[in-house]
Amino acid sequence: MKATPVPNLVDASFSSESSGLGHQVTGGLDTRHGTILTLEDIGVSFDGFKALNALTLYIGVGELRCIIGPNGAGKTTLMDVITGKTRPDTGKAYFGETLDLTRLSEVEIAQAGIGRKFQKPTVFEALTVYENLELAQKTNKSVWASLRATLTGEQQDRLEEVLVTIRLAESRHRPAGLLSHGQKQFLEIGMLLTQEPQLLLLDEPVAGMTDAETEFTAELFTSLARKHSLMVVEHDMGFVEAIADHVTVLHQGHVLAEGSLAEVQANEQVIEVYLGR
Amino acid sequence: MNQPLTLTAARTVGPRWTLGIAAVALAILIALPLLSLLPNDHPLQVSAYTLTLVGKILCYAIVALALDLVWGYAGLLSLGHGVFFALGGYAMGMYLMRQASGEGIPAFMTFLSWTEIPWFWAGTQHFLWALCLVVLAPGLLAFVFGFFAFRSRIKGVYFSIMTQALTFAGMLLFFRNETGFGGNNGFTGFTTLLGFPIAAPGMRALLFLLTVALLVASLLLGWQLARSKFGRILTAIRDAENRVMFCGYDPRGFKLFVWTLSAVICGLAGALYVPQVGIINPSEMAPTNSIEAAIWVALGGRGTLIGPVLGAGIVNGAKSWFTVAFPEYWLFFLGLLFIVVTLFLPKGVIGLIRKDKET
């Protein structure tokens, strides 16, 4: 299968200013060729077990990509490679045209504009909903800046906006630890929103959500795409069908098939992997 | 459920009656040294013994507060804060020894038949340099230790064990005569501070007031930190360090800052402790001392700042009464106290007060 055709949906806010410059982060991300994430020939092995094997994947600017695959296909390892948690043994990983993800630390990658939502909702339980969003918010994140940080009016407006979007405005002063599972999922999505990353990695975002919540999440993600690029790992096929432009099927650490959900579902190999012989 | 710590702090100081109690406590602490200046036969006179005892407990309270900053907020349980306290004390002790020996060299060096003062004693006859050492010695040790520990992502019980080893190693090092700090006798026999007799009532009162000032300043600084975004990030690191990294914060810098700050506060407390108590020796670095400090914090209520101060007061107050009344039962009582608090007061004494208020 060919690599993804690049959707022509580039958001002006971060692509125009960066064209033509060869150097790093400062200013904006260099996405000249419309690709926000480039993974080529990635290999990761743990004690001889190949978690990822010659994996090649491109994600376009503004695209919403779903990654599916059976358990152990390497989905979480893939996210770990992109966020710097795991270093690949072989291969190239670029964010935009110039940022080499294999050389940056987890913190640098987060600051460069990749946000991640974990499989198990992870929020700061002792802090309130509002404080959770505030911590995630895009700003100077050094020690000195944090010692003297106060919220500007603009930042407060943004937090209010996100509180309404994730439907937690009523619970703003509740400790996050008291929220229901689904609310924690939304809070974590909200934290990604205030973080304003250009690429969002979401690991099973609708796990444990009710049908209504799932539906709302689908709407939310669809509205996020174009301004942001999203990579969603999900098992819920109904959800995938509702949101995906493109689907990538992983199997045993490499890409088995790529295309629209219908194409992928018709693929002989995919059927074999999912249904067994 | 875990209450947000910033809220806890705000609630404990917020209500008017709490402020009232704090004002009374502060007034008593300021009155004590003044009353000690009264003539001996005056009914309100406070004895030098009482003043020294309370001054000593205040120094411990500052240690408890410093430990709470790293344990209660950043979740780093240090079982080695005694080493920072002792280093501050030793730095001050070096100056006091030089004062006591005048132009000559300190007596313990003469016993070792040393003829020259070792290089690291250079400049300690100057009070200002001694003050710099009070901050630098614990601060640098904490910075270097923290830098490597946090870089290697050592946390939880492993971190606690390493801090315990650190203070134990420090104790063994200072026990050696060749280290140049008086071996197991440490420093004692102080005479003057800045030329004034160290045991004079006026000097005692002054040292006491300085200790009160340091305690109040540390409390205010602690509250300021806890209320800032920095404090919330520490709490976040304690609860979900990975998430903090993926939010774009580097936890190492935050931990290192609060860890070093805590060590410096401990060092300052040690520097005020030594002239009041009149002795510093390596047993201050004994692992049990540092563990006891953790008990003060747990008993008072961690993550509340004022709680650990109360905890240090309660435990040490009980200790000085018990060791006079029933000397052989003190350790049993301490153990019992710790068990009772762990079982029935998970939020410490402060948790008890707050519960009463809510019902």
Side-chain angles (χ1 to χ4, degrees):
Chain A
M1 187 118 329
K2 259 293 275 151
T4 328
V6 173
N8 190 19
L9 300 164
V10 180
D11 182 67
S13 67
F14 61 84
S15 60
S16 57
E17 68 208 57
S18 55
S19 57
L21 290 172
H23 46 77
Q24 305 214 332
V25 218
T26 45
L29 192 66
D30 181 359
T31 50
R32 264 174 299 176
H33 303 298
T35 318
I36 194 153
L37 184 73
T38 307
L39 298 174
E40 282 172 357
D41 222 10
I42 296 283
V44 174
S45 56
F46 300 116
D47 297 327
F49 169 72
K50 287 197 169 171
L52 292 181
N53 186 10
L55 180 136
T56 297
L57 181 72
Y58 303 93
I59 293 188
V61 172
E63 188 186 348
L64 198 168
R65 175 75 63 95
C66 280
I67 309 276
I68 60 174
N71 285 329
K75 298 179 302 255
T76 302
T77 310
L78 174 63
M79 292 223 173
D80 287 346
V81 167
I82 299 170
T83 52
K85 202 173 170 201
T86 301
R87 296 284 179 220
D89 303 325
T90 56
K92 288 197 288 186
Y94 278 90
F95 183 45
E97 297 297 319
T98 51
L99 279 182
D100 185 352
L101 294 175
T102 59
R103 288 169 183 276
L104 297 177
S105 73
E106 286 147 292
V107 174
E108 286 166 333
I109 290 173
Q111 284 173 349
I114 297 185
R116 177 176 186 179
K117 194 201 142 326
F118 290 82
Q119 195 167 346
K120 180 172 163 273
T122 317
V123 293
F124 306 127
E125 306 218 331
L127 301 177
T128 65
V129 168
Y130 191 82
E131 288 169 338
N132 268 275
L133 293 176
E134 180 212 354
L135 281 202
Q137 190 164 36
K138 185 177 184 180
T139 178
N140 181 345
K141 291 184 171 170
S142 72
V143 174
W144 293 117
S146 307
L147 281 167
R148 13 194 22 191
T150 47
L151 289 173
T152 62
E154 203 178 314
Q155 284 172 321
Q156 284 171 3
D157 292 347
R158 175 72 185 140
L159 292 180
E160 290 300 326
E161 199 182 299
V162 172
L163 271 175
V164 173
T165 309
I166 59 172
R167 300 178 178 178
L168 286 173
E170 306 288 296
S171 316
R172 71 180 68 205
H173 294 307
R174 290 187 80 193
L178 298 180
L179 298 180
S180 73
H181 185 84
Q183 286 175 315
K184 281 185 193 169
Q185 295 274 38
F186 277 118
L187 176 56
E188 203 178 358
I189 292 168
M191 288 164 74
L192 281 184
L193 295 181
T194 57
Q195 196 180 336
E196 295 177 33
Q198 292 167 23
L199 174 64
L200 286 84
L201 309 179
L202 301 128
D203 203 348
E204 299 196 21
V206 296
M209 281 190 181
T210 63
D211 286 350
E213 283 170 336
T214 305
E215 201 176 303
F216 173 58
T217 310
E219 276 171 42
L220 186 61
F221 285 6
T222 321
S223 71
L224 284 178
R226 300 174 192 197
K227 269 198 253 173
H228 308 264
S229 314
L230 285 83
M231 184 177 129
V232 182
V233 166
E234 190 49 74
H235 286 300
D236 183 333
M237 282 304 160
F239 181 70
V240 170
E241 196 175 0
I243 63 168
D245 304 334
H246 275 85
V247 177
T248 298
V249 185
L250 285 194
H251 179 56
Q252 291 178 349
H254 67 267
V255 175
L256 188 69
E258 215 165 64
S260 71
L261 186 63
E263 280 168 21
V264 161
Q265 277 172 331
N267 184 304
E268 285 295 325
Q269 279 178 299
V270 174
I271 294 170
E272 199 169 294
V273 164
Y274 263 93
L275 302 177
R277 264 166 261 228
Chain B
M1 202 50 239
N2 257 349
Q3 281 290 317
L5 297 164
T6 44
L7 266 188
T8 314
R11 262 192 238 165
T12 29
V13 274
R16 202 169 285 170
W17 67 270
T18 324
L19 276 180
I21 291 177
V24 171
L26 189 62
I28 293 175
L29 287 179
I30 292 175
L32 273 180
L34 301 178
L35 292 176
S36 77
L37 296 174
L38 292 169
N40 270 339
D41 49 359
H42 197 282
L44 286 177
Q45 205 256 350
V46 171
S47 69
Y49 169 78
T50 314
L51 196 66
T52 307
L53 179 68
V54 179
K56 191 171 117 176
I57 294 177
L58 287 180
C59 290
Y60 289 150
I62 298 169
V63 173
L65 190 144
L67 182 58
D68 191 33
L69 274 181
V70 289
W71 186 25
Y73 291 88
L76 300 162
L77 170 56
S78 164
L79 294 178
H81 258 43
V83 74
F84 304 124
F85 181 76
L87 281 179
Y90 267 101
M92 178 56 83
M94 284 162 96
Y95 167 75
L96 294 172
M97 290 304 272
R98 296 292 289 269
Q99 283 266 302
S101 63
E103 293 297 306
I105 63 171
F108 74 89
M109 293 188 191
T110 325
F111 291 133
L112 293 172
S113 51
W114 290 2
T115 50
E116 268 176 49
I117 285 182
W119 62 268
F120 48 84
W121 278 71
T124 47
Q125 71 273 30
H126 303 296
F127 186 65
L128 281 180
W129 175 240
L131 283 189
C132 291
L133 279 181
V134 163
V135 171
L136 285 178
L140 274 179
L141 178 68
F143 186 85
V144 172
F145 177 85
F147 180 83
F148 288 106
F150 302 143
R151 195 184 64 163
S152 314
R153 299 190 185 175
I154 293 168
K155 21 184 159 168
V157 70
Y158 301 99
F159 182 79
S160 303
I161 291 170
M162 281 186 60
T163 55
Q164 177 96 96
L166 178 73
T167 193
F168 191 63
M171 182 180 74
L172 295 182
L173 181 71
F174 275 65
F175 261 134
R176 289 160 42 96
N177 281 327
E178 300 79 45
T179 311
F181 293 101
N184 59 353
N185 295 319
F187 300 154
T188 188
F190 308 136
T191 52
T192 56
L193 176 64
L194 288 170
F196 300 101
I198 201 162
M203 181 57 85
R204 281 186 185 282
L206 179 66
L207 286 168
F208 187 94
L209 284 176
L210 284 174
T211 313
V212 174
L214 178 63
L215 177 61
V216 172
S218 314
L219 264 177
L220 293 179
L221 178 71
W223 274 322
Q224 204 62 41
L225 281 183
R227 276 178 32 214
S228 72
K229 187 179 173 196
F230 178 86
R232 293 194 282 280
I233 293 168
L234 287 186
T235 312
I237 291 173
R238 184 195 66 187
D239 292 345
E241 187 166 343
N242 263 331
R243 195 75 191 81
V244 175
M245 285 204 287
F246 290 120
C247 281
Y249 297 96
D250 191 342
R252 289 174 300 182
F254 288 85
K255 287 181 180 178
L256 195 55
F257 181 89
V258 76
W259 173 249
T260 308
L261 177 73
S262 171
V264 167
I265 294 175
C266 269
L268 289 170
L272 283 167
Y273 172 88
V274 169
Q276 294 187 76
V277 175
I279 183 166
I280 174 81
N281 62 38
S283 66
E284 292 296 340
M285 299 185 198
T288 46
N289 281 22
S290 301
I291 294 173
E292 220 179 294
I295 295 181
W296 305 333
V297 177
L299 188 128
R302 66 196 186 102
T304 60
L305 296 175
I306 191 74
V309 170
L310 292 179
I314 293 169
V315 175
N316 287 293
K319 185 181 190 174
S320 38
W321 179 73
F322 250 91
T323 43
V324 174
F326 316 97
E328 62 270 45
Y329 296 117
W330 162 243
L331 282 178
F332 292 105
F333 179 74
L334 180 65
L336 189 69
L337 200 63
F338 192 56
I339 292 170
V340 167
V341 166
T342 317
L343 285 181
F344 300 108
L345 301 173
K347 284 179 202 159
V349 175
I350 282 292
L352 187 74
I353 296 172
R354 268 202 25 231
K355 204 188 281 171
D356 282 355
K357 205 166 41 186
E358 279 163 10
T359 46

